[in-house]
Amino acid sequence: LHTDQPIDPVEAKARAIEGVVKLNILIGTNGAVRDLKVISGDPILAQAAADAVSRWTYQPVTLAGRPIEVVTEVDVNFHLH
């Protein structure tokens, strides 16, 4: 329902670092990201990815008409412009 784009870290721009950060996230019954863990990616980019994804909101997943928590993976891409 809502996503924020990550802010490119100044150090990443200065060092021309780009790539993918993989996150494991827990989506709560209200659709909010309740927990996240960095699985892979450059540490300089990882915090920016985690900060952005922690503000994302999803349509709650339901099972038999009731909202449930769901664990999924998210890829956040960083590209130099």
Side-chain angles (χ1 to χ4, degrees), residues 60-71:
V61 177
T62 59
L63 179 63
R66 299 174 69 159
I68 60 170
E69 292 184 338
V70 176
V71 175

Side-chain angles (χ1 to χ4, degrees), residues 3-24:
T3 60
D4 281 346
Q5 293 301 312
I7 298 170
D8 294 331
V10 173
E11 184 178 355
K13 288 180 184 179
R15 295 176 52 193
I17 297 172
E18 61 182 5
V20 177
V21 175
K22 289 188 175 290
L23 302 169
N24 187 357

Side-chain angles (χ1 to χ4, degrees), residues 11-69:
E11 184 178 355
K13 288 180 184 179
R15 295 176 52 193
I17 297 172
E18 61 182 5
V20 177
V21 175
K22 289 188 175 290
L23 302 169
N24 187 357
I25 66 170
L26 171 64
I27 302 168
T29 57
N30 64 353
V33 175
R34 288 199 33 225
D35 190 30
L36 60 83
K37 178 181 176 185
V38 176
I39 298 171
S40 66
D42 189 289
I44 294 172
L45 302 174
Q47 188 61 53
D51 289 346
V53 172
S54 69
R55 295 186 301 268
W56 290 7
T57 306
Y58 290 84
Q59 178 70 36
V61 177
T62 59
L63 179 63
R66 299 174 69 159
I68 60 170
E69 292 184 338

